[in-house]
Amino acid sequence: MFGGGTPELYAESYPDKRNIPRMDFLVLFFLYLALVLLGFVMICVGSKTHYLQGLISRGAQIFSYIIPECLQRAVLRVLHYLFHTRNYTFVILHLILQGMVYTEYTWEIFGLCQQLEFSLYYLFLPYLLLIVNLVFFTLSCVTDPGTITKANELLFLQVYEFDEVMFPKNVRCPTCDLRKPARSKHCSVCNRCVHRFDHHCVWVNNCVGAWNTRYFLSYLLTLTASAATMAVVSTVFLVRLVVMSDVYLQTYVDDLGHLQVVDTVFLVQYLFLTFPRIVFLVGFVVVLSFLLGGYLCFSLYLAAINQTTNEWYKGSRAWCQHCPHMARPPAAEPQAYRNIHSHGLWSNLREIFLPATARYERKKK
Ligand SMILES: [Zn+2]
Ligand SMILES: [Zn+2]
């Protein structure tokens, strides 16, 4: 593949750098990364945005002319099962993906990194993060998020003030037939009212609410850290491998018979052909680190200002007065949403990590 490292024959003498096959490869690789990114964004953010919801329903309308009705019904049934009922599909998918990434890390990267004399502390860090992450993942899945029942309804009603905009007083949940405390919401997936409801997370198959937001945040933090650590270890491994092998000092003959200098594009392709699984893993964990990092920053921001995702979502809808679904009777008073629950950073974080009602419930037992 390589045509000897003769420095005299470098690029100047071969200005014609038409490397079409290499571009094809890179275009495909970036397309893969873009698809992974788009897939995640569509699942996580898309389902919450009106514009994208409209786009999806229009797309579905076009598809409805092409796809037979029985297939459409089947797809709708599957989507309903996946996103509107409690099921372990995403929990299992989560564990499979995590298992695949860690298997690849253990079988290939770990051994190769040891040969390149990486520090063992550095190599064991992803395992440590995995253990902590699995603990918080399990806690997020199994902890009661703060289900409102006849027994604790009165206690929850006293926790937060009613703002009369987003959470009016004396409203009953028509399904549970319980009075709705401020900041609570009925989860249609779990069919229960949850105190300080944040959102229903399919990845943990549970609501995120007053009593498990702390576990969910810790889970998110350790998951981001483990993806980022793995991205760093694998990238450093590939870079060190390139530096040690002197590949970047060599030349090669391209498809048109020209001698070419090895550049970054060639190196990526070379690494991909030599270590396909590792390069795919790097692509996956880098995209994942950015997405999780972004979502973590958003969640920490909401925690710092003491707002739930549900309130943020409703607040942004109230703010968007141009949206047709937001049309209010013209006589109504202009109602601006104001966050009345924020009492400073430390107090806000304390509320999440040491929920007062959880302590009270424990004392009662
Ligand atoms: Zn309810
Ligand atoms: Zn739920």
Side-chain angles (χ1 to χ4, degrees):
M1 192 182 194
F2 293 104
T6 40
E8 308 86 59
L9 293 174
Y10 273 12
E12 295 88 88
S13 40
Y14 294 96
D16 182 22
K17 283 193 107 191
R18 278 176 298 168
N19 35 27
I20 297 154
R22 297 198 286 146
M23 284 317 292
D24 279 354
F25 159 77
L26 261 203
V27 166
L28 278 175
F29 185 67
F30 283 119
L31 208 67
Y32 155 73
L33 287 189
L35 276 177
V36 172
L37 192 75
L38 195 75
F40 276 112
V41 172
M42 289 294 267
I43 292 174
C44 300
V45 188
S47 57
K48 294 278 178 215
T49 333
H50 299 301
Y51 177 72
L52 275 172
Q53 268 174 1
L55 215 67
I56 291 165
S57 69
R58 267 196 297 277
Q61 236 166 20
I62 295 167
F63 270 112
S64 67
Y65 295 118
I66 312 164
I67 300 169
E69 212 171 297
C70 56
L71 195 68
Q72 281 179 43
R73 270 203 300 273
V75 170
L76 285 179
R77 257 205 303 274
V78 170
L79 287 177
H80 175 78
Y81 172 75
L82 286 179
F83 295 102
H84 296 283
T85 62
R86 280 194 89 179
N87 66 82
Y88 285 95
T89 315
F90 286 95
V91 173
I92 294 165
L93 185 67
H94 182 293
L95 292 174
I96 290 175
L97 282 175
Q98 215 165 17
M100 277 164 67
V101 167
Y102 271 88
T103 308
E104 172 56 24
Y105 179 75
T106 309
W107 287 116
E108 254 188 314
I109 303 174
F110 192 86
L112 290 168
C113 284
Q114 263 186 317
Q115 285 174 28
L116 293 184
E117 288 171 351
F118 275 56
S119 148
L120 273 183
Y121 293 114
Y122 189 48
L123 291 181
F124 275 115
L125 192 59
Y127 293 114
L128 181 73
L129 286 167
L130 175 72
I131 296 167
V132 182
N133 176 251
L134 286 178
V135 170
F136 284 119
F137 178 64
T138 314
L139 283 171
S140 304
C141 294
V142 299
T143 308
D144 177 2
T147 309
I148 300 165
T149 58
K150 277 258 180 295
N152 62 23
E153 183 191 13
L154 280 175
L155 168 73
F156 281 138
L157 277 165
Q158 293 156 16
V159 179
Y160 294 116
E161 233 179 292
F162 290 91
D163 62 4
E164 297 302 335
V165 178
M166 209 177 275
F167 302 106
K169 223 174 184 170
N170 298 324
V171 173
R172 289 190 95 84
C173 170
T175 317
C176 310
D177 195 30
L178 293 167
R179 278 177 68 194
K180 277 182 135 174
R183 310 191 82 183
S184 70
K185 189 183 179 293
H186 182 86
C187 174
S188 58
V189 181
C190 306
N191 198 25
R192 61 182 171 191
C193 273
V194 173
H195 185 55
R196 200 186 186 279
F197 178 87
D198 193 274
H199 69 289
H200 179 91
C201 177
V202 289
W203 295 104
V204 297
N205 190 28
N206 200 1
C207 291
V208 178
W211 293 344
N212 67 349
T213 301
R214 50 192 165 158
Y215 301 135
F216 184 76
L217 282 179
S218 311
Y219 152 73
L220 201 60
L221 186 77
T222 48
L223 191 68
T224 312
S226 77
T229 316
M230 201 160 282
V232 170
V233 172
S234 327
T235 310
V236 170
F237 160 72
L238 290 177
V239 169
R240 204 180 270 192
L241 198 78
V242 167
V243 171
M244 284 177 74
S245 67
D246 287 351
V247 176
Y248 61 100
L249 291 176
Q250 313 234 5
T251 52
Y252 68 98
V253 181
D254 70 8
D255 288 1
L256 299 164
H258 299 293
L259 200 63
Q260 300 277 10
V261 190
V262 167
D263 54 15
T264 320
V265 179
F266 182 89
L267 277 178
V268 174
Q269 188 180 1
Y270 166 72
L271 286 171
F272 185 76
L273 292 172
T274 324
F275 303 103
R277 285 190 299 272
I278 298 182
V279 174
F280 260 104
L281 180 106
V282 171
F284 182 71
V285 287
V286 165
V287 171
L288 200 66
S289 304
F290 277 108
L291 287 173
L292 285 172
Y295 184 54
L296 177 70
C297 288
F298 173 68
S299 301
L300 289 177
Y301 162 72
L302 288 185
I305 63 164
N306 204 338
Q307 199 173 29
T308 63
T309 309
N310 175 45
E311 289 157 5
W312 172 82
Y313 178 55
K314 279 185 173 168
S316 67
R317 270 163 54 126
W319 174 81
C320 180
Q321 308 199 340
H322 309 290
C323 294
H325 356 260
M326 294 303 110
R328 287 194 303 259
E333 281 278 300
Q335 293 177 312
Y337 167 68
R338 201 170 53 84
N339 181 4
I340 56 165
H341 305 294
S342 180
H343 303 290
L345 179 67
W346 293 116
S347 163
N348 294 346
L349 292 180
R350 201 183 127 85
E351 197 182 299
I352 288 172
F353 287 94
L354 297 165
T357 45
R359 271 179 279 148
Y360 177 85
E361 285 275 301
R362 229 175 289 136
K363 253 185 244 162
K364 225 171 50 174
K365 278 170 196 164

